């Protein structure tokens, strides 16, 4: 049967066999997850980003189609108030909308979008394997080798990303498509496939298209070097001009999404953050890189890879083949160079940083490595069934050496997947070295069977419901079809949907599961956000305020129940579990709604002390003065005046009053009742902590200090942690003097061994802060973390109480040196808040007819007396333009992240209009690209017609 399949030339028969094999491997890949009733959506990124964006895209597309076919008009909604404080719809959906496969979202309502998104995984993998197969067949490879190579490619360790980053699977489709297209160009054939594939890449993602271009550059140089033609500067220049021209046309076609996408990325401050540089990765990275070649492994630096045993045998056979001068030798040369170059790329942090836009080392381009290895399997397959003596030597010695190194030398670091794959590797290597003694059909069955076994073991152990290991095991996945239920029907924060209130308002909450971006499917306005395409000004505002719920630049979950910030953001309702009011802001006094979720009752409290979206400021705060304030002072200041970055016509400077007070404290160890020490230093030694002012050297994770203080009643209490500088300590230093004295020599040597292979030093430190029944956590990514965004100061809300409180506990989650610039307990009486809020809110009575339709905000404003600033609680963006009485006016960059328009005295019609920055420019460039593509098609058709006529 295998021989008949190999000899057939029918593409249909190949597709049928491929489909059957794909289905079998896909089922075994998902088996553990299906048995647990789980899908591909990870509870973090899968639920909060990918499902939400996919479902929102479907709604957005249906809305556009409705305006076209039902309302017979065309309107492109570009702004949504349901994206955090408000955001660009197109920019937010960039990670989803550029992939044509995701267009199926238009057919599925929110309740069933989860099922459709899970389906896209199978669609992407199937298309990836099919395109890879057609490329291999185009190159003249055998059908069986092509089938095995396609399986290796589709189900490599990179595909484990299907369980965490569904949208990233698109590169498995576009990668072989680009390779197929560029090879057709080198073969002097029609370039349309190459241009189209580049266009798809640029439509899909800025980062992906950037990495494609880098990889394409490397491949083209290697491919040109192996062309069977005389190498001359002129000839090289012709190839450069041709390939660059075709690439440019494809890129132009994709500009409609690429330009807005690129503008959004380039406007992010996270890209310019200083990070530590390293010439090499940690030793453990290289150990995992070697051992992980035969197992689905997260090596580090976002490098997830691993292959079936046949892949490593094929690599050994390739390098065991003598160089020849024929076409096969040229192909071997290309494969050898690409394999070596890409392997070196994986080993150098500098290369990973280049591929990640010079931000930090990141190897998500490893899909290209999988493509290279998989093609080696295809090209070498005929040789594997008839190995010569030299090739056998390479295969046997290489396999044994690999198994010994990974299985014995690196045994402490080898997973059971690696050990299992080593056994398969040795068995298959010896079988293939004796392939002449058995029928080729049996050898092929052995190859297919070993590939099936390797993939089945790796994927099922990864997601096994019978083990608790693995950061992304089945237990951490969303149940199939349950995303909508988690985010809406069974989401406690959705209790606000019971509120009948026609005004514009936002909600927040505390001690409530706050799924980021859930507001986009709830159709509520909440301060929840999680997307790589974030507004840098909003993040800057959060950093100024030391907001602990925004430790990552691209994510925030509410405003930490801080009364001034909640009011400034227009939060009218606040959700807490019944009886847990320790973090309920004191101005939220009346119950607005309640509901029971998973057996727990949740209550939404309302307040009249909140600010509407639009109100007037008539006093200004100097920007330099604002910069010099503490976060506690800044949140008070914005209730009294506005900070404007541009020159302002507001003449009156705000007469600021600050009511915050620093509370004195003493640092003491946390002791159990039965513990007592004559010397406090002995107590700290027992805790595993050494204190020098505000510098804390912690040798034992979980060490706790107590800030002994008397906190008055009727205040919001805060812990101000300024300028966190953290440095890790190696494992051998994580002992107290008493512990070190009692350690054996062997234990000390083992600790030193741990120092050498301590491959993942602490990069994200956490501080747990507790005051009475209020517990908060500060998550502080360090400069060595890929999540680092330049933040190091935090104002931790410890809640309000009408009674006196005592003592704040601080727990250091990780060993290391915590060098703080300052550590203060700050309290703020709430008496002045209500008056300040109501004073600003009263100005909104002069604003009438406010409305928002998706891209336009309009109102009538009556600015009495002296000039005033009409403030909008809408994030500033270059896409906004303002008109007063139909005349364009300048938008003032206000309160760090928001907008304002200055008005003279009198009644004015004010309108804000939004358009995605770069969208029109990108669309025009795409039109140019399409025209150029059309010209190439027409010229090519005319040329082919002319050649055909001359042939006749």
């Amino acid at each position: 049967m295998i021989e008949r399949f190999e000899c057939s030339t029918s593409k249909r028969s190949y597709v049928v066999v491929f489909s059957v094999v794909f289905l079998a491997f896909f089922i075994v890949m998902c088996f553990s997850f299906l048995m647990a009733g789980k899908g591909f959506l990870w509870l973090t990124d899968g639920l909060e980003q990918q499902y939400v964006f996919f479902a929102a895209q479907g709604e957005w597309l249906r809305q556009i189609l409705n305006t076209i076919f039902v309302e017979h008009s065309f309107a492109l909604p570009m702004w949504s108030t349901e994206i955090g404080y408000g955001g660009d719809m197109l920019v937010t959906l960039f990670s989803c909308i550029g992939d044509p496969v995701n267009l199926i979202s238009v057919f599925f309502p929110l309740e069933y979008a989860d099922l459709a998104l899970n389906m896209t995984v199978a669609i992407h993998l199937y298309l990836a394997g099919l395109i890879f197969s057609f490329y291999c067949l185009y190159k003249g490879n055998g059908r069986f080798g092509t089938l095995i190579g396609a399986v290796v490619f589709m189900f490599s360790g990179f595909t484990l990303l299907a369980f965490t980053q569904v949208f990233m699977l698109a590169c498995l489709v576009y990668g072989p498509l680009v390779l197929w297209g560029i090879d057709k160009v080198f073969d002097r054939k029609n370039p349309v496939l190459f241009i189209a594939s580049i266009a798809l890449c640029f439509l899909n993602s800025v980062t992906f298209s950037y990495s494609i271009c880098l990889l394409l550059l490397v491949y083209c140089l290697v491919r040109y070097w192996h062309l069977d033609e005389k190498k001359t500067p002129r000839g090289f220049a012709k190839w450069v001009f041709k390939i660059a021209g075709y690439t440019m046309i494809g890129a132009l076609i994709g500009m409609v999404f690429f330009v807005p996408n690129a503008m959004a990325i380039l406007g992010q401050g996270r890209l310019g953050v200083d990070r530590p540089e390293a010439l090499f990765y940690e030793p453990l990275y290289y150990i995992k890189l070697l051992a992980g070649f035969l197992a689905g492994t997260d090596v580090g630096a976002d490098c997830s890879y691993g292959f079936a045993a046949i892949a490593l045998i094929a690599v050994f056979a390739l390098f065991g083949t003598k160089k020849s001068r024929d076409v096969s030798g040229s192909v071997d040369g290309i494969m050898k160079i690409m394999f070596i170059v890409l392997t070196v790329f994986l080993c150098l942090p500098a290369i990973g940083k280049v591929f990640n836009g010079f931000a930090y080392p990141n190897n998500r381009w490893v899909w290209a490595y999988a493509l290279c290895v998989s093609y080696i399997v295809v090209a070498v397959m005929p040789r594997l069934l008839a190995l010569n003596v030299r090739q056998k030597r390479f295969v046997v010695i290489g396999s044994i050496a690999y198994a010994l190194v990974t299985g014995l030398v690196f045994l402490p670091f080898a997973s059971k997947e690696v050990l299992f794959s080593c056994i398969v590797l040795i068995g298959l290597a010896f079988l293939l070295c004796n392939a002449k003694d058995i029928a080729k059909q049996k050898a092929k069955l052995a190859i297919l069977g070993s590939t099936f076994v390797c993939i089945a073991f790796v994927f099922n152990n990864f997601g096994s419901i019978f083990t608790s290991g693995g950061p992304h095991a089945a237990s951490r996945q969303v149940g199939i079809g349950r995303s909508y239920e988690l985010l809406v029907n069974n989401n406690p924060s959705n209790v606000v949907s019971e509120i009948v209130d026609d005004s514009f308002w936002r909600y927040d909450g505390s001690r409530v599961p706050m799924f980021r971006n859930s507001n986009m499917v709830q159709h509520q306005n909440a301060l929840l956000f999680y997307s790589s395409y974030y507004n840098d000004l909003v993040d800057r505002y959060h950093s100024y305020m030391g907001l602990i719920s925004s430790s990552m630049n691209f994510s925030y979950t509410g405003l930490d129940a801080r009364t001034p910030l909640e009011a400034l953001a227009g939060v009218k309702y606040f959700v807490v579990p019944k009886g847990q009011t320790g973090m309920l802001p004191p101005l939220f006094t009346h119950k607005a709604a309640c509901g029971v979720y998973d057996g727990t009752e949740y209550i939404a409290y309302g307040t009249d002390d909140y600010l509407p979206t639009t109100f007037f400021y008539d006093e200004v705060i100097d920007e330099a003065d604002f910069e010099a304030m503490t976060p506690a002072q800044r949140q008070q200041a914005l209730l009294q005046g506005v900070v404007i970055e541009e020159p302002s016509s507001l003449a009156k400077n705000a007469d600021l009053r600050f009511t915050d007070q620093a509370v004195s404290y003493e640092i003491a160890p946390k002791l159990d009742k039965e513990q007592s020490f004559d010397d406090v230093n002995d107590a700290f030694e027992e805790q595993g902590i050494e204190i020098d002012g505000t510098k804390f050297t912690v040798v034992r994770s979980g060490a706790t200090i107590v800030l002994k203080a008397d906190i008055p009643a009727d205040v919001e209490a805060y812990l101000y942690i300024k300028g966190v500088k953290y440095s890790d300590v190696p494992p051998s230093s994580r002992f107290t003097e008493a512990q070190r004295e009692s350690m054996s020599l062997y234990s000390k040597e083992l600790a030193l061994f741990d120092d050498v292979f301590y491959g993942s030093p602490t990069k994200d430190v956490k501080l747990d802060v507790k005051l009475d029944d209020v517990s908060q956590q500060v998550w502080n990514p360090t400069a060595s973390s890929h999540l680092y965004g330049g933040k190091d100061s935090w104002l931790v809300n410890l809640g309000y109480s009408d009674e006196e409180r005592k003592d704040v506990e601080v727990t250091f989650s990780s060993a290391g040196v915590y060098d703080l610039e300052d550590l203060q307990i700050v309290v703020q009486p709430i008496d002045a808040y209500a008056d300040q809020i109501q004073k600003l809110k009263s100005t909104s009575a002069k604003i009438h007819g406010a409305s928002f339709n998706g891209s336009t905000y309009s109102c009538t404003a009556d600015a009495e007396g002296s000039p005033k600033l009409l403030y909008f609680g809408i994030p500033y963006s270059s896409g906004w333009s303002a008109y007063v009485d139909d005349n364009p006016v300048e938008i003032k960059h206000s309160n760090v992240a928001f907008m304002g328009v200055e008005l003279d005295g009198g009644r004015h019609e004010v309108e804000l209009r939004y358009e995605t920055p770069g969208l029109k420019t990108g669309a025009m460039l795409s039109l140019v690209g399409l025209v150029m593509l059309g010209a190439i098609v027409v010229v090519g058709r005319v040329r082919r017609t002319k050649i055909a006529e001359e042939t006749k």
Side-chain angles (χ1 to χ4, degrees):
M1 183 176 68
I2 293 179
E3 294 302 322
R4 188 163 63 248
F5 166 71
E6 184 75 57
C7 295
S8 174
T9 59
S10 169
K11 285 187 178 180
R12 180 179 297 178
S13 68
Y14 179 86
V15 172
V16 170
V17 173
F18 169 83
S19 301
V20 172
V21 170
F22 169 79
L23 183 61
F25 275 86
F26 185 75
I27 289 174
V28 77
M29 163 191 164
C30 309
F31 182 77
S32 289
F33 293 86
L34 293 174
M35 289 294 291
K38 300 299 180 71
F40 291 103
L41 304 188
W42 183 26
L43 275 167
T44 306
D45 290 9
L47 179 66
E48 295 180 301
Q49 281 190 338
Q50 292 140 31
Y51 163 74
V52 170
F53 296 161
F54 183 83
Q57 174 185 278
E59 283 203 316
W60 187 67
L61 292 173
R62 289 191 292 273
Q63 186 178 354
I64 293 172
L65 292 175
N66 181 72
T67 61
I68 295 173
F69 296 106
V70 178
E71 300 176 6
H72 304 294
S73 62
F74 180 75
L76 189 65
M78 297 186 189
W79 186 270
S80 172
T81 60
E82 296 169 2
I83 303 172
Y85 291 90
D88 187 307
M89 197 69 182
L90 195 60
V91 169
T92 304
L93 299 179
F94 272 147
S95 59
C96 174
I97 202 167
D99 185 353
V101 172
N102 291 333
L103 293 178
I104 68 171
S105 62
V106 73
F107 301 110
F108 294 85
L110 294 176
E111 295 87 338
Y112 303 108
D114 174 302
L115 300 175
L117 184 54
N118 276 286
M119 284 168 47
T120 65
V121 173
I123 295 171
H124 278 113
L125 291 179
Y126 182 82
L127 290 175
L130 204 58
I131 292 170
F132 177 85
S133 296
F134 287 155
Y135 167 68
C136 293
L137 295 174
Y138 165 79
K139 298 293 288 183
N141 294 286
R143 290 158 68 94
F144 177 75
T146 294
L147 182 64
I148 296 299
V151 169
V152 171
F153 179 59
M154 290 184 293
F155 301 102
S156 73
F158 181 83
T159 304
L160 291 174
L161 282 174
F163 297 98
T164 57
Q165 304 294 334
V166 174
F167 294 156
M168 287 188 183
L169 293 181
C171 59
L172 293 178
V173 179
Y174 301 146
L177 202 60
V178 171
L179 187 60
W180 188 2
I182 192 61
D183 271 359
K184 292 189 76 171
V185 172
F186 275 110
D187 294 338
R188 294 176 172 82
K189 295 185 178 179
N190 195 320
V192 171
L193 178 62
F194 176 66
I195 294 172
S197 63
I198 292 295
L200 286 171
C201 294
F202 274 75
L203 284 167
N204 181 259
S205 164
V206 168
T207 52
F208 176 58
S209 54
Y210 167 72
S211 62
I212 274 282
C213 288
L214 292 178
L215 292 163
L216 193 60
L217 175 63
V218 175
Y219 179 76
C220 286
L221 290 174
V222 175
R223 186 77 161 78
Y224 171 77
W225 182 254
H226 287 83
L227 283 179
D228 187 20
E229 64 179 42
K230 186 177 180 180
K231 309 299 187 296
T232 64
R234 180 173 181 150
F236 180 75
K238 283 184 177 180
W239 278 110
V240 170
F241 180 78
K242 179 188 288 188
I243 294 172
Y246 292 152
T247 303
M248 182 193 71
I249 294 171
L252 283 174
I253 294 172
M255 285 293 123
V256 63
F257 287 161
F258 184 91
V259 172
N261 195 333
M263 290 180 66
I265 292 176
L266 294 174
Q268 297 174 355
R270 183 169 175 243
L271 296 180
V273 171
D274 290 332
R275 302 175 189 273
E277 303 285 344
L279 188 59
F280 298 105
Y281 293 107
E282 301 94 349
L284 188 58
Y285 174 90
Y286 297 103
I287 294 172
K288 288 184 176 182
L289 192 66
L290 177 63
F293 194 94
L294 290 187
T297 303
D298 183 5
V299 175
D302 285 328
C303 175
S304 180
Y305 89 141
F307 309 95
I310 188 63
L312 188 55
I313 292 174
V315 171
F316 290 145
L318 172 66
F319 284 90
T321 303
K322 285 185 177 181
K323 182 178 180 180
S324 63
R325 296 182 179 276
D326 57 9
V327 175
S328 64
S330 175
V331 173
D332 282 3
I334 294 172
M335 291 190 296
K336 288 177 181 179
I337 293 174
M338 289 302 299
F339 180 82
I340 292 171
V341 169
L342 295 182
T343 301
V344 171
F345 280 5
L346 284 177
C347 294
L348 299 175
I351 301 297
K353 186 173 181 177
V354 170
F355 272 97
N356 196 35
F358 297 91
Y360 55 87
N362 182 290
N363 289 324
R364 281 181 174 169
W365 62 269
V366 74
W367 60 266
Y369 192 80
L371 180 58
C372 176
V373 170
S374 301
Y375 189 77
I376 290 173
V377 172
V378 176
V380 175
M381 185 61 67
R383 286 172 247 178
L384 294 178
L385 301 172
L387 294 169
N388 59 36
V389 175
R390 175 185 168 88
Q391 291 166 340
K392 287 181 180 179
R393 190 180 301 123
F394 269 75
V395 168
V396 171
I397 295 176
S399 299
I400 292 175
Y402 178 87
L404 287 175
V405 171
T406 57
L408 295 179
V409 179
F410 294 155
L411 183 61
F413 311 101
S415 64
K416 49 190 154 188
E417 295 98 327
V418 174
L419 298 176
F420 177 82
S421 296
C422 283
I423 295 172
V424 177
L425 173 70
I426 296 297
L428 185 60
F430 277 96
L431 185 147
L432 292 176
C433 286
N434 294 282
K436 291 182 179 179
D437 300 329
I438 60 175
K440 281 190 176 182
Q441 187 163 337
K442 291 183 179 179
K444 290 179 179 179
L445 284 173
I447 291 171
L448 181 61
S450 67
T451 304
F452 183 87
V453 168
C454 285
I455 291 172
F457 188 85
V458 168
F459 277 94
N460 280 286
N461 192 63
F462 170 79
S464 178
I465 57 175
F466 307 109
T467 66
S468 59
H472 308 307
S475 61
R476 292 170 173 83
Q477 301 297 116
V478 179
I480 298 175
R482 290 203 63 228
S483 295
Y484 185 79
E485 179 184 348
L486 286 172
L487 295 185
V488 182
N489 293 339
N490 204 35
N491 185 349
S493 66
N494 201 41
V495 68
V496 297
S497 63
E498 303 296 324
I499 298 172
V500 179
D501 187 342
D502 294 333
S503 64
F504 179 88
W505 50 268
R506 294 184 174 113
Y507 79 87
D508 200 355
S510 180
R511 306 299 181 260
V512 179
M514 301 289 279
F515 292 103
R516 293 167 296 182
N517 295 326
S518 61
N519 37 313
M520 293 180 66
V521 290
Q522 289 177 338
H523 296 306
Q524 302 287 353
N525 300 305
L527 300 171
L528 303 171
F529 179 83
Y530 182 33
S531 172
S532 298
Y533 301 100
Y534 66 94
N535 187 317
D536 190 62
L537 294 173
V538 169
D539 179 60
R540 189 171 148 209
Y541 173 72
H542 289 164
S543 297
Y544 271 124
M545 297 302 172
L547 193 64
I548 65 170
S549 55
S550 183
S551 54
M552 296 185 293
N553 309 79
F554 48 88
S555 167
Y556 50 89
T557 51
L559 296 173
D560 194 29
R562 289 161 58 174
T563 298
L565 297 187
E566 301 286 2
L568 286 163
V571 174
K572 190 176 181 179
Y573 300 101
F574 200 92
V575 182
V576 293
K578 182 179 181 180
Q580 298 184 34
T581 57
M583 285 295 289
L584 178 68
L587 299 183
F588 289 81
T589 54
H590 64 270
K591 294 181 181 180
C594 61
V596 177
Y597 297 84
D598 281 339
T600 301
E601 185 175 356
Y602 294 85
I603 300 174
Y605 288 87
T607 181
D608 291 326
D609 296 314
Y610 74 100
L611 293 171
T613 305
T614 309
F615 56 89
F616 282 115
Y617 275 115
D618 57 8
E619 297 182 10
V620 66
I621 301 171
D622 182 76
E623 189 177 1
D625 292 342
F626 186 76
E627 290 267 1
M629 297 176 191
T630 67
Q633 292 171 333
R634 288 173 185 148
Q635 65 180 14
Q636 296 175 77
L638 294 186
L639 291 176
Q640 303 172 61
V642 61
V643 180
I644 303 177
E645 293 197 0
E646 300 85 0
S648 172
S649 62
L650 271 66
K652 186 177 180 181
N653 290 326
D655 182 16
L656 300 177
R657 292 190 306 112
F658 297 119
T659 59
D660 59 301
Q661 302 169 7
V663 175
S664 60
Y665 63 85
E666 293 182 358
I667 302 178
K670 183 180 180 182
L671 303 176
D672 295 332
K673 290 182 180 180
E674 61 273 11
Q675 288 181 308
S676 62
F677 294 89
D678 295 330
D679 188 341
V680 70
N681 290 323
D682 293 337
F684 283 124
E685 166 71 19
E686 175 64 23
Q687 286 284 317
I689 188 169
E690 179 183 323
I691 301 175
D692 180 12
T694 55
K695 181 179 180 179
F696 304 89
T697 302
V698 179
V699 298
R700 182 185 300 167
S701 60
T704 300
I705 59 171
V706 179
L707 308 182
K708 306 288 287 185
D710 295 319
I711 299 173
D714 298 318
V715 297
E716 277 190 337
Y718 298 95
L719 182 66
Y720 180 34
I721 307 171
K722 181 181 180 182
V724 179
K725 293 180 181 177
Y726 171 85
S727 56
D728 200 5
V729 295
S732 62
S733 300
R734 298 180 181 182
F735 302 98
T736 64
E737 288 300 322
Q739 289 175 319
R740 196 179 303 281
E741 290 175 2
S742 63
M743 289 173 65
S744 65
L745 179 62
Y746 172 77
S747 297
K748 292 179 180 178
E749 294 293 332
L750 188 61
L752 291 174
F753 175 82
D754 287 342
D755 285 354
V756 176
F757 293 102
Y758 182 48
S760 299
T762 304
K763 297 178 179 178
D764 303 314
V765 296
K766 297 176 181 177
L767 299 173
D768 294 307
V769 183
K770 186 175 186 296
L771 173 60
D772 292 347
D773 61 341
V774 173
S775 297
Q776 295 271 62
Q777 186 175 79
V778 177
W779 181 20
N780 190 108
T782 69
S784 58
S785 170
H786 70 287
L787 299 175
Y788 178 66
K791 304 188 180 194
D792 60 7
S793 297
W794 314 96
L795 187 65
V796 187
N797 186 11
L798 297 175
Y800 167 83
S801 176
D802 55 6
E803 299 179 354
E804 294 183 356
R805 292 174 285 177
K806 287 182 177 291
D807 304 344
V808 176
E809 295 182 7
V810 180
T811 301
F812 303 90
S813 64
S814 303
V817 179
Y818 298 77
D819 192 357
L820 312 182
E821 186 178 333
D822 199 3
L823 182 65
Q824 294 182 18
I825 297 175
V826 179
V827 297
Q828 284 191 338
I830 67 163
D831 299 341
Y833 286 162
D835 291 339
Q836 292 169 342
I837 294 168
Q838 286 298 331
K839 180 181 177 181
L840 288 177
K841 186 178 180 180
S842 66
T843 65
S844 66
K846 303 296 182 180
I847 302 167
H848 309 281
S851 65
F852 178 74
N853 69 358
S855 296
T856 303
Y857 181 92
S858 60
C859 66
T860 301
D862 190 356
E864 296 179 343
S866 61
K868 293 180 174 57
L869 182 114
L870 182 62
Y871 176 81
F872 299 90
I874 300 172
Y876 182 93
S877 166
S878 60
W880 286 104
S881 56
Y883 298 84
V884 175
D885 300 326
D886 291 329
N887 297 311
V889 296
E890 179 186 8
I891 294 178
K892 296 293 185 179
H893 188 174
S894 308
N895 287 355
V896 183
F898 305 97
M899 298 188 294
V901 173
E902 291 187 353
L903 300 178
D904 294 327
R907 191 178 185 87
H908 303 279
E909 299 295 328
V910 182
E911 186 174 78
L912 298 181
R913 302 171 190 169
Y914 186 78
E915 182 180 282
T916 300
L919 182 61
K920 278 187 177 178
T921 302
M924 292 175 64
L925 291 173
S926 291
L927 183 60
V928 171
L930 288 171
V931 170
M932 295 173 73
L933 176 61
I936 288 176
V937 171
V938 170
V939 170
R941 185 169 297 175
V942 170
R943 184 177 298 169
R944 287 192 299 272
T945 303
K946 185 177 180 180
I947 292 173
E949 290 175 352
E950 291 176 353
T951 303
K952 290 180 181 179

